[in-house]
Amino acid sequence: MKIEVLPMTIIDLEEIAENLTEDFDDFWSASVLKNELENPHHLSSYYFVAKMNLEIVGFCGVSKIVDTLEVLNIVTKKDRRNSGIASFLLQHMIDFAKASQINIITLEVNEHNLPAIHLYEKYHFQQVGIRKKYYHGKDDAILMNLTINA
Ligand SMILES: CC(C)(COP(=O)(O)OP(=O)(O)OC[C@H]1O[C@@H](n2cnc3c(N)ncnc32)[C@H](O)[C@@H]1OP(=O)(O)O)[C@@H](O)C(=O)NCCC(=O)NCCS
């Protein structure tokens, strides 16, 4: 399986926008992503797509603040999950962080999102805190960090 990770372009977004929720998930709207891509320096955010034979099979976004990289999202196409695509994307983000003088990568994840928690633990992210009832006033958010370039 050959996966390629590339910066997300507007053309990429147009390709996935119509069926974003059905194919990927309902966490992010195409209009939010479009705004991010059109104003990349506003939030120092960077978006990447994973492609297999030109098909977009996953994407992720990060925000860079001084020496910290926050993972904004990471998602694999529903029919391609559990085949290593998010691992590939996350490794790419870690490499990007290492090349960008980042010291710490942070993220938050729903306590019940076991696939995502497994993914982050695989890359040695560690739990550093909890935001109680963060999601819909119900589920806790687990805060996780990965220290790099230490
Ligand atoms: C979380 C998500 C990105 C993982 O993507 P993926 O491409 O399936 O992940 P990978 O195939 O790289 O798997 C990564 C690790 O998690 C494990 N994993 C993946 N899916 C799993 C599941 N349903 N249950 C348990 N473990 C799982 C894999 O076994 C793998 O570990 P291993 O290599 O030691 O076996 C994907 O499930 C997704 O898009 N979910 C919806 C969006 C989301 O919740 N994003 C995270 C927001 S914080």
Side-chain angles (χ1 to χ4, degrees):
M1 175 178 65
K2 187 174 180 303
I3 307 174
E4 221 183 349
V5 177
L6 299 162
M8 184 189 278
T9 65
I10 290 282
I11 293 170
D12 292 329
L13 181 58
E14 282 166 359
E15 193 180 317
I16 57 175
E18 197 178 335
N19 296 316
L20 192 64
T21 300
E22 295 82 350
D23 289 350
F24 290 88
D25 230 301
D26 61 358
F27 295 161
W28 309 283
S29 75
S31 60
V32 169
L33 287 171
K34 185 165 183 279
N35 190 41
E36 293 276 285
L37 292 183
E38 286 175 345
N39 302 286
H41 304 299
H42 173 57
L43 287 170
S44 297
S45 53
Y46 303 83
Y47 279 80
F48 300 95
V49 287
K51 290 189 182 181
M52 273 170 64
N53 300 327
L54 302 180
E55 179 193 357
I56 297 170
V57 291
F59 64 86
C60 62
V62 290
S63 166
K64 182 174 180 244
I65 302 161
V66 193
D67 66 344
T68 301
L69 201 68
E70 182 182 4
V71 179
L72 302 173
N73 57 40
I74 180 164
V75 60
T76 296
K77 202 169 180 183
K78 285 178 185 167
D79 61 2
R80 299 284 191 169
R81 288 187 187 168
N82 221 345
S83 60
I85 290 163
S87 298
F88 205 87
L89 274 167
L90 191 57
Q91 183 62 58
H92 185 87
M93 282 198 271
I94 293 168
D95 293 344
F96 172 81
K98 285 182 176 166
S100 312
Q101 280 71 51
I102 293 293
N103 291 322
I104 193 154
I105 305 180
T106 69
L107 57 86
E108 65 204 19
V109 57
N110 187 306
E111 60 177 331
H112 298 302
N113 192 345
L114 297 184
I117 292 169
H118 282 163
L119 169 70
Y120 303 136
E121 285 178 343
K122 179 179 166 185
Y123 285 88
H124 310 294
F125 279 77
Q126 293 189 333
Q127 183 174 328
V128 291
I130 287 193
R131 278 200 193 110
K132 286 277 177 199
K133 303 188 183 196
Y134 182 70
Y135 298 104
H136 316 295
K138 218 172 91 197
D139 298 345
D140 293 350
I142 300 176
L143 310 182
M144 300 183 95
N145 281 357
L146 178 68
T147 305
I148 51 175
N149 289 336

